[in-house]
Amino acid sequence: MSLLASLLLTLFFIIIFISSSAPVQDRYIHIPSHFLVDAVIPATGDAGPSATPAPIAGPLPDLPSSPLAPALFVIGDSTVDCGTNNYLGTIARADRPPYGRDFDTHRPTGRFSNGRVIIDFLEWDSAERLGLPFVPPYLGRTGRIEDMIHGLNYASAASGILFSSGSDLGQHISLTQQIQQLMDTFQQLEMDLGVPTAADFISSFCLSPVMSVNGLKKLYDKNVRKVVLMGIAPMAAPHTTLCIMAVRMMKLNHELSEARIIFCDAFNGSMEILANRNLYGFQTTTEACCGLGKYRGFVMCLMPEMACSNASTYVWWDEFHPTDVVNRILANNVWSSEHSDMCHPMNLLEMIRLDH
């Protein structure tokens, strides 16, 4: 399989939950506006679990006092993992240089990119975004309500729909386990905030990603109402399959009467980037920035000496993951359809504005 096929196979395997009601810190609990648990100290040595990672405050600008959404919860694989696998015994980890070299802290954080992943650009950027700090990994929480009130990231590299997916790489948190972790979070919110308040909070969540209809219904039963479904990218499934998925999601809008479901077509978003690579300033689309072998995709990115000097001219960062420039373009499409109309019947910003 070529580098292109391998990367597109994993791109956009994510789930996002976003509360779009009044800020939680205003209604339920006081949270400092700059509360951030973001990066983790890189591990060294073997692929065993890291020692307890220390939180690092990134150089955030002043965050808005009233963000467009008070919380964001993420489920997925390595495309949105922000440090979950740092706590696990696995070789699927990004807690060493050159990962994170172009991130806000210029240090590896567990993100499988040279910089930010898509979720980071939706949380805050130079332009209008959700206005949230980077949410911490679920495994890095302390159990305090302050650690989850802005959201949590459950995503784990090498995870998949099947529990056995990625098992050859070591430990991971499967999508089924991530959903259970999310349910556990809901339960803790009910205990800390009270059932009525937690139910109100949960009802305003938005969900985005590859998930079964039954999975969506399970979340609906938990009072999740606003959903953004991100389709799988090219090579992972024929585009006709993606169209069928979109139609099914639209039907769910009628079947689940209180739900609002958006489908974002990652296929078209990805192909638009490749078709207009010169417009975006990409010089290399068939070879990764970091790695060895054919397409720099035969040996994984292991050390700084294996990386190119300027990742911004590359579409791919390593053998499976895009550069943060690609992540920003795709995030812009999800947010406001800046480059292409990926999301239907509306984009994320339009959906949030319906409640403001």
Side-chain angles (χ1 to χ4, degrees):
M1 181 179 291
S2 69
L3 173 68
L4 171 62
S6 298
L7 191 146
L8 293 179
L9 193 65
T10 60
L11 194 60
F12 288 115
F13 195 52
I14 62 172
I15 298 178
I16 313 166
F17 296 85
I18 306 168
S19 173
S20 55
S21 56
V24 176
Q25 61 264 40
D26 294 340
R27 293 188 295 162
Y28 310 136
I29 187 171
H30 175 70
I31 302 295
S33 61
H34 290 286
F35 179 77
L36 170 66
V37 177
D38 173 45
V40 295
I41 291 180
T44 58
D46 60 23
S50 303
T52 303
I56 299 173
L60 287 175
D62 289 336
L63 295 173
S65 57
S66 298
L68 294 181
L72 181 148
F73 296 81
V74 184
I75 292 178
D77 66 1
S78 58
T79 57
V80 286
D81 187 341
C82 74
T84 295
N85 279 29
N86 293 357
Y87 296 85
L88 304 176
T90 176
I91 63 173
R93 287 163 55 158
D95 55 351
R96 62 187 180 277
Y99 288 96
R101 72 178 193 185
D102 300 316
F103 188 67
D104 302 78
T105 58
H106 301 288
R107 300 180 65 178
T109 65
R111 290 166 170 82
F112 286 78
S113 176
N114 60 302
R116 295 193 192 186
V117 294
I118 295 174
I119 304 303
D120 300 323
F121 289 113
L122 293 175
E123 289 166 331
W124 70 271
D125 201 2
S126 56
E128 180 186 27
R129 290 297 183 268
L130 295 174
L132 293 171
F134 297 137
V135 298
Y138 174 81
L139 294 185
R141 76 201 188 289
T142 64
R144 300 179 304 162
I145 187 66
E146 291 90 343
D147 286 354
M148 67 176 67
I149 209 66
H150 283 308
L152 289 168
N153 190 322
Y154 308 85
S156 174
S159 65
I161 295 176
L162 299 178
F163 181 81
S164 59
S165 298
S167 298
D168 55 321
L169 301 177
Q171 294 179 320
H172 67 278
I173 310 298
S174 70
L175 290 183
T176 299
Q177 292 172 315
Q178 291 176 42
I179 293 174
Q180 183 57 54
Q181 290 175 341
L182 178 65
M183 296 301 174
D184 293 342
T185 301
F186 287 171
Q187 185 175 31
Q188 185 171 350
L189 287 171
E190 291 174 347
M191 294 172 60
D192 292 338
L193 304 178
V195 174
T197 301
D200 177 53
F201 184 48
I202 294 170
S203 69
S204 59
F205 284 161
C206 301
L207 153 85
S208 153
V210 176
M211 176 176 264
S212 67
V213 171
N214 288 337
L216 290 173
K217 289 181 178 179
K218 182 178 181 180
L219 293 170
Y220 184 84
D221 291 340
K222 251 322 210 186
N223 223 32
V224 173
R225 292 296 179 265
K226 298 179 181 68
V227 178
V228 180
L229 177 71
M230 182 74 79
I232 47 183
M235 304 296 182
H239 197 228
T240 52
T241 302
L242 302 179
C243 293
I244 293 173
M245 185 187 304
V247 171
R248 286 181 177 175
M249 294 306 106
M250 295 306 103
K251 287 183 177 179
L252 279 178
N253 271 317
H254 300 286
E255 183 179 343
L256 308 178
S257 59
E258 298 179 13
R260 184 179 298 152
I261 301 176
I262 295 174
F263 176 75
C264 293
D265 186 351
F267 182 99
N268 282 335
S270 302
M271 298 312 296
E272 191 272 339
I273 292 174
L274 294 175
N276 297 290
R277 54 188 178 275
N278 293 330
L279 179 65
Y280 292 118
F282 294 122
Q283 299 175 8
T284 307
T285 61
T286 59
E287 183 176 278
C289 171
C290 188
L292 292 177
K294 188 175 183 180
Y295 306 118
R296 285 192 176 177
F298 185 73
V299 178
M300 63 187 300
C301 182
L302 296 173
M303 58 188 69
E305 292 76 14
M306 297 171 66
C308 65
S309 60
N310 184 7
S312 67
T313 63
Y314 283 72
V315 171
W316 319 127
W317 164 245
D318 62 15
E319 75 270 40
F320 295 117
H321 308 97
T323 59
D324 67 347
V325 176
V326 172
N327 287 331
R328 169 174 267 155
I329 295 171
L330 295 171
N332 289 344
N333 291 339
V334 173
W335 179 252
S336 62
S337 306
E338 180 175 333
H339 306 287
S340 64
D341 292 324
M342 279 175 50
C343 304
H344 307 279
M346 65 189 79
N347 56 50
L348 181 55
L349 178 59
E350 291 169 335
M351 178 170 146
I352 289 176
R353 284 178 173 170
L354 291 177
D355 298 311
H356 285 75

